[in-house]
Amino acid sequence: MKKLSPDTKILGTQQSISDFWAWGFSDLLMNSLRGIFSEFLVGSALGVLQTPRIEWDTHDLVYKDKKIEVKSAAYIQSWHAGKYSKINFGIEARKSYNYTTNKYDADAVCHADIYVFCLLKEKDAN
């Protein structure tokens, strides 16, 4: 898989990939996007953003042959309902999905060598 350029035009429209990203992925308080943003920040700090991320991989990044799992949490969410979220980071062993056999592996294991915990500690949604 190759990285897209932000100015790549979307066929049949006047829009670019950058326009799509700005439209669909600007809410960094959204749970799933905040996790990907955390992976990006850690990958940037480690200098390992040469290849695009793989959705649903067993780990998020590789640095010096070490598999890294990035976990994120925040007190506030896009859907903030008046109370702060409880902060926790799950790193328990899990069964991974084998896309070749279309089945979960038999054994649950920890797939990462290193875990990085990212906390958005802001409590003001503005």
Side-chain angles (χ1 to χ4, degrees), residues 82-110:
K83 65 179 185 175
Y84 299 125
S85 296
K86 180 181 176 190
I87 303 302
N88 67 44
F89 299 99
I91 62 167
E92 63 279 350
R94 295 177 188 232
K95 293 180 180 183
S96 62
Y97 191 76
N98 185 321
Y99 289 95
T100 304
T101 63
N102 292 321
K103 295 180 181 176
Y104 282 95
D105 291 340
D107 298 320
V109 298
C110 291

PDB file of all heavy atoms in Angstrom, residues 82-110:
ATOM      1  N   GLY A  82     -21.882  15.102  29.843  1.00  0.00           N
ATOM      2  CA  GLY A  82     -21.938  15.755  31.135  1.00  0.00           C
ATOM      3  C   GLY A  82     -21.059  15.161  32.217  1.00  0.00           C
ATOM      4  O   GLY A  82     -20.941  15.732  33.287  1.00  0.00           O
ATOM      5  N   LYS A  83     -20.465  14.004  31.989  1.00  0.00           N
ATOM      6  CA  LYS A  83     -19.548  13.458  32.980  1.00  0.00           C
ATOM      7  C   LYS A  83     -18.293  12.960  32.264  1.00  0.00           C
ATOM      8  O   LYS A  83     -18.334  12.589  31.092  1.00  0.00           O
ATOM      9  CB  LYS A  83     -20.183  12.339  33.799  1.00  0.00           C
ATOM     10  CG  LYS A  83     -20.537  11.093  33.030  1.00  0.00           C
ATOM     11  CD  LYS A  83     -21.138  10.057  33.955  1.00  0.00           C
ATOM     12  CE  LYS A  83     -21.370   8.765  33.178  1.00  0.00           C
ATOM     13  NZ  LYS A  83     -21.836   7.698  34.001  1.00  0.00           N
ATOM     14  N   TYR A  84     -17.209  12.967  32.975  1.00  0.00           N
ATOM     15  CA  TYR A  84     -15.942  12.559  32.390  1.00  0.00           C
ATOM     16  C   TYR A  84     -15.863  11.045  32.259  1.00  0.00           C
ATOM     17  O   TYR A  84     -16.395  10.314  33.084  1.00  0.00           O
ATOM     18  CB  TYR A  84     -14.766  13.071  33.228  1.00  0.00           C
ATOM     19  CG  TYR A  84     -14.730  14.565  33.320  1.00  0.00           C
ATOM     20  CD1 TYR A  84     -14.706  15.210  34.544  1.00  0.00           C
ATOM     21  CD2 TYR A  84     -14.734  15.346  32.172  1.00  0.00           C
ATOM     22  CE1 TYR A  84     -14.680  16.584  34.629  1.00  0.00           C
ATOM     23  CE2 TYR A  84     -14.702  16.726  32.245  1.00  0.00           C
ATOM     24  CZ  TYR A  84     -14.678  17.344  33.470  1.00  0.00           C
ATOM     25  OH  TYR A  84     -14.655  18.704  33.547  1.00  0.00           O
ATOM     26  N   SER A  85     -15.190  10.603  31.217  1.00  0.00           N
ATOM     27  CA  SER A  85     -14.987   9.176  31.007  1.00  0.00           C
ATOM     28  C   SER A  85     -13.974   8.634  32.007  1.00  0.00           C
ATOM     29  O   SER A  85     -13.043   9.336  32.409  1.00  0.00           O
ATOM     30  CB  SER A  85     -14.465   8.913  29.589  1.00  0.00           C
ATOM     31  OG  SER A  85     -15.420   9.294  28.641  1.00  0.00           O
ATOM     32  N   LYS A  86     -14.157   7.376  32.377  1.00  0.00           N
ATOM     33  CA  LYS A  86     -13.206   6.696  33.248  1.00  0.00           C
ATOM     34  C   LYS A  86     -11.992   6.324  32.399  1.00  0.00           C
ATOM     35  O   LYS A  86     -12.131   5.806  31.286  1.00  0.00           O
ATOM     36  CB  LYS A  86     -13.846   5.434  33.835  1.00  0.00           C
ATOM     37  CG  LYS A  86     -12.943   4.671  34.749  1.00  0.00           C
ATOM     38  CD  LYS A  86     -13.632   3.421  35.277  1.00  0.00           C
ATOM     39  CE  LYS A  86     -12.632   2.639  36.109  1.00  0.00           C
ATOM     40  NZ  LYS A  86     -13.146   1.324  36.457  1.00  0.00           N
ATOM     41  N   ILE A  87     -10.813   6.562  32.913  1.00  0.00           N
ATOM     42  CA  ILE A  87      -9.587   6.277  32.172  1.00  0.00           C
ATOM     43  C   ILE A  87      -9.121   4.860  32.485  1.00  0.00           C
ATOM     44  O   ILE A  87      -8.948   4.488  33.647  1.00  0.00           O
ATOM     45  CB  ILE A  87      -8.473   7.282  32.543  1.00  0.00           C
ATOM     46  CG1 ILE A  87      -8.942   8.723  32.290  1.00  0.00           C
ATOM     47  CG2 ILE A  87      -7.186   6.968  31.786  1.00  0.00           C
ATOM     48  CD1 ILE A  87      -9.369   9.020  30.871  1.00  0.00           C
ATOM     49  N   ASN A  88      -8.953   4.053  31.425  1.00  0.00           N
ATOM     50  CA  ASN A  88      -8.340   2.738  31.583  1.00  0.00           C
ATOM     51  C   ASN A  88      -7.717   2.329  30.253  1.00  0.00           C
ATOM     52  O   ASN A  88      -8.120   2.813  29.201  1.00  0.00           O
ATOM     53  CB  ASN A  88      -9.329   1.696  32.125  1.00  0.00           C
ATOM     54  CG  ASN A  88     -10.423   1.373  31.144  1.00  0.00           C
ATOM     55  OD1 ASN A  88     -10.178   1.200  29.960  1.00  0.00           O
ATOM     56  ND2 ASN A  88     -11.644   1.265  31.633  1.00  0.00           N
ATOM     57  N   PHE A  89      -6.738   1.487  30.344  1.00  0.00           N
ATOM     58  CA  PHE A  89      -6.026   1.006  29.166  1.00  0.00           C
ATOM     59  C   PHE A  89      -5.994  -0.514  29.222  1.00  0.00           C
ATOM     60  O   PHE A  89      -5.367  -1.089  30.100  1.00  0.00           O
ATOM     61  CB  PHE A  89      -4.592   1.539  29.141  1.00  0.00           C
ATOM     62  CG  PHE A  89      -4.498   3.039  29.099  1.00  0.00           C
ATOM     63  CD1 PHE A  89      -4.270   3.773  30.250  1.00  0.00           C
ATOM     64  CD2 PHE A  89      -4.627   3.713  27.896  1.00  0.00           C
ATOM     65  CE1 PHE A  89      -4.176   5.152  30.217  1.00  0.00           C
ATOM     66  CE2 PHE A  89      -4.533   5.095  27.848  1.00  0.00           C
ATOM     67  CZ  PHE A  89      -4.305   5.815  29.010  1.00  0.00           C
ATOM     68  N   GLY A  90      -6.675  -1.162  28.292  1.00  0.00           N
ATOM     69  CA  GLY A  90      -6.708  -2.622  28.279  1.00  0.00           C
ATOM     70  C   GLY A  90      -5.533  -3.206  27.513  1.00  0.00           C
ATOM     71  O   GLY A  90      -5.370  -2.929  26.323  1.00  0.00           O
ATOM     72  N   ILE A  91      -4.728  -4.007  28.195  1.00  0.00           N
ATOM     73  CA  ILE A  91      -3.591  -4.649  27.527  1.00  0.00           C
ATOM     74  C   ILE A  91      -3.602  -6.154  27.758  1.00  0.00           C
ATOM     75  O   ILE A  91      -2.578  -6.815  27.624  1.00  0.00           O
ATOM     76  CB  ILE A  91      -2.241  -4.038  27.976  1.00  0.00           C
ATOM     77  CG1 ILE A  91      -2.008  -4.240  29.468  1.00  0.00           C
ATOM     78  CG2 ILE A  91      -2.155  -2.577  27.586  1.00  0.00           C
ATOM     79  CD1 ILE A  91      -0.596  -3.943  29.906  1.00  0.00           C
ATOM     80  N   GLU A  92      -4.763  -6.691  28.067  1.00  0.00           N
ATOM     81  CA  GLU A  92      -4.861  -8.124  28.308  1.00  0.00           C
ATOM     82  C   GLU A  92      -4.580  -8.905  27.019  1.00  0.00           C
ATOM     83  O   GLU A  92      -4.707  -8.380  25.918  1.00  0.00           O
ATOM     84  CB  GLU A  92      -6.236  -8.490  28.859  1.00  0.00           C
ATOM     85  CG  GLU A  92      -7.388  -8.213  27.922  1.00  0.00           C
ATOM     86  CD  GLU A  92      -7.858  -6.763  27.898  1.00  0.00           C
ATOM     87  OE1 GLU A  92      -7.433  -5.956  28.741  1.00  0.00           O
ATOM     88  OE2 GLU A  92      -8.665  -6.441  26.997  1.00  0.00           O
ATOM     89  N   ALA A  93      -4.209 -10.147  27.175  1.00  0.00           N
ATOM     90  CA  ALA A  93      -3.971 -11.019  26.028  1.00  0.00           C
ATOM     91  C   ALA A  93      -5.263 -11.144  25.213  1.00  0.00           C
ATOM     92  O   ALA A  93      -6.361 -11.165  25.766  1.00  0.00           O
ATOM     93  CB  ALA A  93      -3.505 -12.388  26.509  1.00  0.00           C
ATOM     94  N   ARG A  94      -5.099 -11.195  23.885  1.00  0.00           N
ATOM     95  CA  ARG A  94      -6.260 -11.295  22.992  1.00  0.00           C
ATOM     96  C   ARG A  94      -5.992 -12.285  21.879  1.00  0.00           C
ATOM     97  O   ARG A  94      -4.859 -12.495  21.485  1.00  0.00           O
ATOM     98  CB  ARG A  94      -6.554  -9.931  22.352  1.00  0.00           C
ATOM     99  CG  ARG A  94      -6.971  -8.900  23.356  1.00  0.00           C
ATOM    100  CD  ARG A  94      -7.160  -7.569  22.670  1.00  0.00           C
ATOM    101  NE  ARG A  94      -7.367  -6.566  23.693  1.00  0.00           N
ATOM    102  CZ  ARG A  94      -8.370  -5.719  23.708  1.00  0.00           C
ATOM    103  NH1 ARG A  94      -9.231  -5.726  22.742  1.00  0.00           N
ATOM    104  NH2 ARG A  94      -8.494  -4.846  24.677  1.00  0.00           N
ATOM    105  N   LYS A  95      -7.074 -12.834  21.358  1.00  0.00           N
ATOM    106  CA  LYS A  95      -6.972 -13.681  20.182  1.00  0.00           C
ATOM    107  C   LYS A  95      -6.948 -12.763  18.958  1.00  0.00           C
ATOM    108  O   LYS A  95      -7.755 -11.850  18.859  1.00  0.00           O
ATOM    109  CB  LYS A  95      -8.162 -14.630  20.091  1.00  0.00           C
ATOM    110  CG  LYS A  95      -8.203 -15.660  21.194  1.00  0.00           C
ATOM    111  CD  LYS A  95      -9.389 -16.567  21.038  1.00  0.00           C
ATOM    112  CE  LYS A  95      -9.419 -17.589  22.161  1.00  0.00           C
ATOM    113  NZ  LYS A  95     -10.533 -18.530  21.993  1.00  0.00           N
ATOM    114  N   SER A  96      -6.027 -13.015  18.060  1.00  0.00           N
ATOM    115  CA  SER A  96      -5.999 -12.206  16.848  1.00  0.00           C
ATOM    116  C   SER A  96      -6.762 -12.911  15.742  1.00  0.00           C
ATOM    117  O   SER A  96      -6.931 -14.138  15.765  1.00  0.00           O
ATOM    118  CB  SER A  96      -4.557 -11.898  16.418  1.00  0.00           C
ATOM    119  OG  SER A  96      -3.887 -13.084  16.116  1.00  0.00           O
ATOM    120  N   TYR A  97      -7.226 -12.134  14.793  1.00  0.00           N
ATOM    121  CA  TYR A  97      -7.989 -12.666  13.677  1.00  0.00           C
ATOM    122  C   TYR A  97      -7.038 -12.972  12.526  1.00  0.00           C
ATOM    123  O   TYR A  97      -6.237 -12.130  12.136  1.00  0.00           O
ATOM    124  CB  TYR A  97      -9.053 -11.659  13.241  1.00  0.00           C
ATOM    125  CG  TYR A  97     -10.049 -12.234  12.260  1.00  0.00           C
ATOM    126  CD1 TYR A  97     -11.051 -13.086  12.694  1.00  0.00           C
ATOM    127  CD2 TYR A  97      -9.977 -11.917  10.914  1.00  0.00           C
ATOM    128  CE1 TYR A  97     -11.968 -13.618  11.798  1.00  0.00           C
ATOM    129  CE2 TYR A  97     -10.889 -12.442  10.011  1.00  0.00           C
ATOM    130  CZ  TYR A  97     -11.883 -13.283  10.462  1.00  0.00           C
ATOM    131  OH  TYR A  97     -12.789 -13.808   9.587  1.00  0.00           O
ATOM    132  N   ASN A  98      -7.122 -14.169  12.009  1.00  0.00           N
ATOM    133  CA  ASN A  98      -6.277 -14.588  10.898  1.00  0.00           C
ATOM    134  C   ASN A  98      -7.064 -14.361   9.604  1.00  0.00           C
ATOM    135  O   ASN A  98      -8.042 -15.063   9.331  1.00  0.00           O
ATOM    136  CB  ASN A  98      -5.899 -16.062  11.069  1.00  0.00           C
ATOM    137  CG  ASN A  98      -4.941 -16.529  10.016  1.00  0.00           C
ATOM    138  OD1 ASN A  98      -5.041 -16.160   8.847  1.00  0.00           O
ATOM    139  ND2 ASN A  98      -4.001 -17.359  10.422  1.00  0.00           N
ATOM    140  N   TYR A  99      -6.621 -13.385   8.814  1.00  0.00           N
ATOM    141  CA  TYR A  99      -7.352 -13.029   7.598  1.00  0.00           C
ATOM    142  C   TYR A  99      -7.161 -14.050   6.476  1.00  0.00           C
ATOM    143  O   TYR A  99      -7.893 -14.042   5.501  1.00  0.00           O
ATOM    144  CB  TYR A  99      -6.946 -11.625   7.133  1.00  0.00           C
ATOM    145  CG  TYR A  99      -7.474 -10.564   8.059  1.00  0.00           C
ATOM    146  CD1 TYR A  99      -6.696 -10.061   9.095  1.00  0.00           C
ATOM    147  CD2 TYR A  99      -8.773 -10.095   7.926  1.00  0.00           C
ATOM    148  CE1 TYR A  99      -7.196  -9.110   9.961  1.00  0.00           C
ATOM    149  CE2 TYR A  99      -9.282  -9.150   8.791  1.00  0.00           C
ATOM    150  CZ  TYR A  99      -8.490  -8.656   9.805  1.00  0.00           C
ATOM    151  OH  TYR A  99      -8.995  -7.718  10.662  1.00  0.00           O
ATOM    152  N   THR A 100      -6.197 -14.943   6.622  1.00  0.00           N
ATOM    153  CA  THR A 100      -6.000 -15.991   5.632  1.00  0.00           C
ATOM    154  C   THR A 100      -7.023 -17.108   5.824  1.00  0.00           C
ATOM    155  O   THR A 100      -7.624 -17.586   4.869  1.00  0.00           O
ATOM    156  CB  THR A 100      -4.567 -16.569   5.734  1.00  0.00           C
ATOM    157  OG1 THR A 100      -3.641 -15.493   5.601  1.00  0.00           O
ATOM    158  CG2 THR A 100      -4.321 -17.598   4.659  1.00  0.00           C
ATOM    159  N   THR A 101      -7.238 -17.481   7.099  1.00  0.00           N
ATOM    160  CA  THR A 101      -8.178 -18.572   7.394  1.00  0.00           C
ATOM    161  C   THR A 101      -9.575 -18.053   7.747  1.00  0.00           C
ATOM    162  O   THR A 101     -10.512 -18.838   7.859  1.00  0.00           O
ATOM    163  CB  THR A 101      -7.669 -19.417   8.571  1.00  0.00           C
ATOM    164  OG1 THR A 101      -7.614 -18.587   9.746  1.00  0.00           O
ATOM    165  CG2 THR A 101      -6.304 -20.006   8.272  1.00  0.00           C
ATOM    166  N   ASN A 102      -9.693 -16.750   7.960  1.00  0.00           N
ATOM    167  CA  ASN A 102     -10.956 -16.134   8.390  1.00  0.00           C
ATOM    168  C   ASN A 102     -11.453 -16.692   9.714  1.00  0.00           C
ATOM    169  O   ASN A 102     -12.646 -16.901   9.924  1.00  0.00           O
ATOM    170  CB  ASN A 102     -12.041 -16.268   7.314  1.00  0.00           C
ATOM    171  CG  ASN A 102     -11.715 -15.436   6.100  1.00  0.00           C
ATOM    172  OD1 ASN A 102     -11.217 -14.319   6.212  1.00  0.00           O
ATOM    173  ND2 ASN A 102     -11.967 -15.979   4.931  1.00  0.00           N
ATOM    174  N   LYS A 103     -10.493 -16.940  10.616  1.00  0.00           N
ATOM    175  CA  LYS A 103     -10.822 -17.444  11.944  1.00  0.00           C
ATOM    176  C   LYS A 103      -9.930 -16.752  12.976  1.00  0.00           C
ATOM    177  O   LYS A 103      -8.861 -16.259  12.651  1.00  0.00           O
ATOM    178  CB  LYS A 103     -10.577 -18.960  12.026  1.00  0.00           C
ATOM    179  CG  LYS A 103     -11.476 -19.778  11.142  1.00  0.00           C
ATOM    180  CD  LYS A 103     -11.171 -21.244  11.274  1.00  0.00           C
ATOM    181  CE  LYS A 103     -12.082 -22.035  10.346  1.00  0.00           C
ATOM    182  NZ  LYS A 103     -11.786 -23.455  10.347  1.00  0.00           N
ATOM    183  N   TYR A 104     -10.407 -16.750  14.215  1.00  0.00           N
ATOM    184  CA  TYR A 104      -9.574 -16.253  15.314  1.00  0.00           C
ATOM    185  C   TYR A 104      -8.554 -17.313  15.698  1.00  0.00           C
ATOM    186  O   TYR A 104      -8.838 -18.514  15.632  1.00  0.00           O
ATOM    187  CB  TYR A 104     -10.433 -15.893  16.534  1.00  0.00           C
ATOM    188  CG  TYR A 104     -11.137 -14.578  16.378  1.00  0.00           C
ATOM    189  CD1 TYR A 104     -12.435 -14.526  15.908  1.00  0.00           C
ATOM    190  CD2 TYR A 104     -10.493 -13.385  16.690  1.00  0.00           C
ATOM    191  CE1 TYR A 104     -13.082 -13.311  15.747  1.00  0.00           C
ATOM    192  CE2 TYR A 104     -11.133 -12.167  16.535  1.00  0.00           C
ATOM    193  CZ  TYR A 104     -12.421 -12.136  16.057  1.00  0.00           C
ATOM    194  OH  TYR A 104     -13.053 -10.941  15.890  1.00  0.00           O
ATOM    195  N   ASP A 105      -7.369 -16.879  16.089  1.00  0.00           N
ATOM    196  CA  ASP A 105      -6.352 -17.809  16.569  1.00  0.00           C
ATOM    197  C   ASP A 105      -6.865 -18.515  17.819  1.00  0.00           C
ATOM    198  O   ASP A 105      -7.700 -17.983  18.550  1.00  0.00           O
ATOM    199  CB  ASP A 105      -5.047 -17.072  16.885  1.00  0.00           C
ATOM    200  CG  ASP A 105      -4.365 -16.554  15.624  1.00  0.00           C
ATOM    201  OD1 ASP A 105      -4.649 -17.053  14.521  1.00  0.00           O
ATOM    202  OD2 ASP A 105      -3.534 -15.623  15.760  1.00  0.00           O
ATOM    203  N   ALA A 106      -6.346 -19.697  18.076  1.00  0.00           N
ATOM    204  CA  ALA A 106      -6.802 -20.501  19.213  1.00  0.00           C
ATOM    205  C   ALA A 106      -6.398 -19.895  20.548  1.00  0.00           C
ATOM    206  O   ALA A 106      -7.152 -19.952  21.520  1.00  0.00           O
ATOM    207  CB  ALA A 106      -6.255 -21.922  19.099  1.00  0.00           C
ATOM    208  N   ASP A 107      -5.220 -19.311  20.613  1.00  0.00           N
ATOM    209  CA  ASP A 107      -4.696 -18.814  21.879  1.00  0.00           C
ATOM    210  C   ASP A 107      -4.706 -17.287  21.944  1.00  0.00           C
ATOM    211  O   ASP A 107      -4.418 -16.605  20.951  1.00  0.00           O
ATOM    212  CB  ASP A 107      -3.260 -19.297  22.096  1.00  0.00           C
ATOM    213  CG  ASP A 107      -3.170 -20.809  22.164  1.00  0.00           C
ATOM    214  OD1 ASP A 107      -4.063 -21.426  22.781  1.00  0.00           O
ATOM    215  OD2 ASP A 107      -2.218 -21.362  21.591  1.00  0.00           O
ATOM    216  N   ALA A 108      -4.997 -16.782  23.123  1.00  0.00           N
ATOM    217  CA  ALA A 108      -4.915 -15.338  23.365  1.00  0.00           C
ATOM    218  C   ALA A 108      -3.492 -15.010  23.809  1.00  0.00           C
ATOM    219  O   ALA A 108      -2.941 -15.696  24.673  1.00  0.00           O
ATOM    220  CB  ALA A 108      -5.906 -14.930  24.448  1.00  0.00           C
ATOM    221  N   VAL A 109      -2.896 -14.016  23.179  1.00  0.00           N
ATOM    222  CA  VAL A 109      -1.524 -13.611  23.521  1.00  0.00           C
ATOM    223  C   VAL A 109      -1.429 -12.089  23.511  1.00  0.00           C
ATOM    224  O   VAL A 109      -2.265 -11.399  22.933  1.00  0.00           O
ATOM    225  CB  VAL A 109      -0.474 -14.202  22.539  1.00  0.00           C
ATOM    226  CG1 VAL A 109      -0.472 -15.712  22.580  1.00  0.00           C
ATOM    227  CG2 VAL A 109      -0.714 -13.709  21.133  1.00  0.00           C
ATOM    228  N   CYS A 110      -0.389 -11.575  24.156  1.00  0.00           N
ATOM    229  CA  CYS A 110      -0.060 -10.156  24.047  1.00  0.00           C
ATOM    230  C   CYS A 110       0.818 -10.019  22.812  1.00  0.00           C
ATOM    231  O   CYS A 110       1.866 -10.657  22.727  1.00  0.00           O
ATOM    232  CB  CYS A 110       0.670  -9.659  25.291  1.00  0.00           C
ATOM    233  SG  CYS A 110      -0.393  -9.607  26.742  1.00  0.00           S
TER     234      CYS A 110
END
